[in-house]
Amino acid sequence: MPGDEELMLRVRDGDLAAFEQLVRRHQREGWRVAYRFTGDAAEAEDLIQEAFLRILDAAAGYRPIATFRTYYYRVLTRLCLDHRRKKRPTLAEPLSQPADDSLSPSQQASRVERETLIQAALNALPGDYRMAVVLRYFEGLGGPEMAVAMGRSTKAVERLLSRARAALEPQLKDLSEL
Amino acid sequence: MRCDEVLQLLTAFSAGDVPVDVRPAMEAHLSDCARCRAALARVDVLAGALAGLPPPPLPEGLASRVVAAARQRHEAKPVAPGRSLPWWRPTSAPMRAAAAVAAFAFGIWGATELSQPSAAKAAGDNVQPAAETVLRDWFEAAPQDSLASRYLAAIKAEED
């Protein structure tokens, strides 16, 4: 199976089938980032679409100097942060999860309540704090990779996380009761 | 290490992402400092709560819609192949002549503008984003409740 960077080189040469492979391979992580960042499915989809189209538009100048994944996170992160500057987030209903038969109805309700609480707490954070939380806790990115994605220094990213944590803790103190 | 340095790195420590040369000093501090240990426990609780959230279900047909939009755009404006003909080859002779005239006119205009104060402003506009990022990083290092941190909060409030 060709690697991401090899596929991007094919996209650079005009191969849309290679582009489709990249989209299918990376749609899931992009969706997680954009959805957790916006809390809104329609906005998240618009952002992912725009990220991939920008990558396609810029493909002619692509050089494989970093992993495609890092490049993709960077494009998407920038779009998300720009989007946040232009629009105040609204709390949308959480997406309905597939039913988990191992959970009782009250446990299912508790899971939805938990997700709503966490998403509301995330939405209340400034955009850069929220993106730092999403990249670290949901995507598992390390400091250097986050720094590249967010266009900040590794130290600045750790400071963002530290302050995001301080802002989140009081809002999420009720989680243990759910 | 001091408490403020350790507290700053707790999220990375909790995720196992602290550089190997820093980790022993952090571990030594944590074994001696109950306050930082308590903070680390809170970080672990928060990390567990966030990690326990199920991933949002992927919308059906997302990739197909992205690819369809890409095809639509590609038909309107094909991706330029990386190893295509040299940039000057596909243009016609009249277009090349027009481009030469435009470049000459731009050169005259540029020489005039450089001697005027507006050129300094344009250069300033170009460097502003980088300077802003540096300033922001610098302000974020300032202690809570300091003038710098209040200034940063005011900027964020304006952006939000």
Side-chain angles (χ1 to χ4, degrees), chain A residues 45-85:
Chain A
E45 181 160 340
D46 286 348
L47 285 167
I48 290 181
Q49 182 158 312
E50 187 56 33
F52 276 118
L53 290 179
R54 287 203 184 183
I55 286 170
L56 182 64
D57 285 346
Y62 175 76
R63 285 179 301 134
I65 49 176
T67 65
F68 172 78
R69 183 171 173 258
T70 306
Y71 173 52
Y72 173 52
Y73 275 129
R74 185 167 170 87
V75 172
L76 186 57
T77 296
R78 277 190 184 176
L79 281 169
C80 286
L81 290 171
D82 285 349
H83 171 78
R84 160 71 177 161
R85 284 185 195 110

Side-chain angles (χ1 to χ4, degrees), chain A residues 27-131:
Chain A
Q27 58 173 334
R28 197 169 292 279
E29 65 222 55
W31 170 251
R32 282 195 307 261
V33 170
Y35 179 75
R36 288 293 172 222
F37 185 84
T38 60
D40 184 286
E43 288 176 15
E45 181 160 340
D46 286 348
L47 285 167
I48 290 181
Q49 182 158 312
E50 187 56 33
F52 276 118
L53 290 179
R54 287 203 184 183
I55 286 170
L56 182 64
D57 285 346
Y62 175 76
R63 285 179 301 134
I65 49 176
T67 65
F68 172 78
R69 183 171 173 258
T70 306
Y71 173 52
Y72 173 52
Y73 275 129
R74 185 167 170 87
V75 172
L76 186 57
T77 296
R78 277 190 184 176
L79 281 169
C80 286
L81 290 171
D82 285 349
H83 171 78
R84 160 71 177 161
R85 284 185 195 110
K86 288 174 195 157
K87 183 188 173 299
R88 185 165 287 278
T90 51
L91 181 57
E93 284 290 309
L95 289 171
S96 54
Q97 294 282 349
D100 185 344
D101 294 339
S102 65
L103 298 178
S104 68
S106 69
Q107 284 173 320
Q108 295 269 18
S110 167
R111 190 172 82 167
V112 172
E113 198 179 337
R114 192 182 177 83
E115 183 168 354
T116 307
L117 185 68
I118 291 176
Q119 191 64 55
L122 282 176
N123 286 354
L125 292 176
D128 47 1
Y129 287 17
R130 194 181 337 155
M131 183 52 80

Side-chain angles (χ1 to χ4, degrees), chain B:
Chain B
M1 284 180 93
R2 296 193 316 266
C3 285
D4 60 331
E5 294 169 325
V6 169
L7 291 173
Q8 198 95 151
L9 290 170
L10 281 183
T11 312
F13 185 85
S14 171
D17 192 36
V18 167
V20 283
D21 54 332
V22 178
R23 196 167 186 92
M26 243 185 120
E27 283 171 342
H29 180 95
L30 284 165
S31 67
D32 290 339
C33 178
R35 182 170 156 256
C36 288
R37 271 202 310 278
L40 177 61
R42 290 200 302 277
V43 170
D44 288 339
V45 168
L46 182 66
L50 295 173
L53 216 56
L58 193 67
E60 215 167 289
L62 173 65
S64 302
R65 288 192 290 280
V66 172
V67 172
R71 284 189 193 286
Q72 209 174 356
R73 186 176 291 204
H74 186 68
E75 278 160 17
K77 188 180 72 173
V79 173
R83 284 179 288 278
S84 61
L85 293 170
W87 63 270
W88 45 268
R89 286 273 283 277
T91 57
S92 63
M95 280 185 73
R96 290 200 296 275
V101 171
F104 180 72
F106 183 75
I108 298 286
W109 175 82
T112 314
E113 279 293 300
L114 276 174
S115 61
Q116 292 176 5
S118 62
K121 182 184 174 300
D125 287 344
N126 281 342
V127 299
Q128 195 174 3
E132 194 177 300
T133 302
V134 171
L135 273 178
R136 188 172 277 233
D137 280 359
W138 186 75
F139 279 138
E140 275 171 357
Q144 302 270 14
D145 298 327
S146 64
L147 187 61
S149 74
R150 270 179 265 159
Y151 173 70
L152 189 64
I155 292 176
K156 281 179 187 295
E158 204 169 273
E159 283 176 357
D160 295 337

Side-chain angles (χ1 to χ4, degrees), chain A residues 1-12 15 17-27 29 52 55 59 62-73 145:
Chain A
M1 197 189 343
D4 292 343
E5 293 72 32
E6 191 185 331
L7 286 174
M8 258 317 278
L9 290 173
R10 289 191 207 165
V11 175
R12 189 183 71 178
D15 181 351
F19 177 74
E20 180 165 1
Q21 278 193 66
L22 280 171
V23 172
R24 295 199 182 280
R25 200 177 278 181
H26 292 283
Q27 58 173 334
E29 65 222 55
F52 276 118
I55 286 170
Y62 175 76
R63 285 179 301 134
I65 49 176
T67 65
F68 172 78
R69 183 171 173 258
T70 306
Y71 173 52
Y72 173 52
Y73 275 129
E145 208 176 357

